Amino acid sequence: MPVIDANDSNFKELISENDKVVVKYFAGWCGSCRLFKPKFKRLSGDERFEGIAFLDVNAEESPEARALAGVNNLPFFAIFKGGKLVEGGPMSKEDAVVELIEKLK
């Protein structure tokens, strides 16, 4: 499944339409965020995570979406199930992100 660009105008709709969602919050100035972009794209196509929507949110341009996950550092990853926040945190290691996503299974 391709990574979906999300923002304040469509975020709530996307997390309610999709039962299982993982969100990557980023900023244009964040080097670690840019480095993780291809990894996130690859994970979105991983068959282990079929049925999970992957969202990309620019944290600087989407304060409402950022507040819903309590983003306090970047890159920040959060998982939502049934439209509700399950867990989230700042992380830049792929293993930690995979571990977080696997909690949606």
Side-chain angles (χ1 to χ4, degrees):
M1 178 180 271
V3 176
I4 302 164
D5 289 325
N7 54 46
D8 279 350
S9 66
N10 65 359
F11 186 78
K12 286 183 182 176
E13 181 182 337
L14 287 167
I15 63 170
S16 64
E17 280 178 358
N18 297 282
D19 185 47
K20 299 173 183 178
V21 179
V22 59
V23 183
K24 174 174 67 81
Y25 293 89
F26 70 95
W29 52 262
C30 171
S32 295
C33 300
R34 284 194 302 275
L35 288 172
F36 208 93
K37 186 173 180 136
K39 296 174 189 175
F40 196 62
K41 183 178 180 182
R42 183 173 36 74
L43 288 171
S44 74
D46 189 318
E47 61 187 31
R48 293 178 296 170
F49 306 129
E50 195 172 313
I52 298 173
F54 283 68
L55 307 183
D56 236 350
V57 174
N58 185 323
E60 292 187 309
E61 296 173 2
S62 302
E64 291 174 30
R66 185 178 68 228
L68 284 173
V71 176
N72 58 7
N73 209 335
L74 297 172
F76 191 97
F77 293 84
I79 52 173
F80 291 81
K81 187 166 185 164
K84 305 278 187 233
L85 177 67
V86 175
E87 188 177 328
M91 53 190 81
S92 56
K93 300 241 183 289
E94 185 172 350
D95 291 348
V97 174
V98 166
E99 194 175 300
L100 180 69
I101 298 169
E102 285 179 340
K103 293 179 180 182
L104 286 171
K105 290 180 166 180

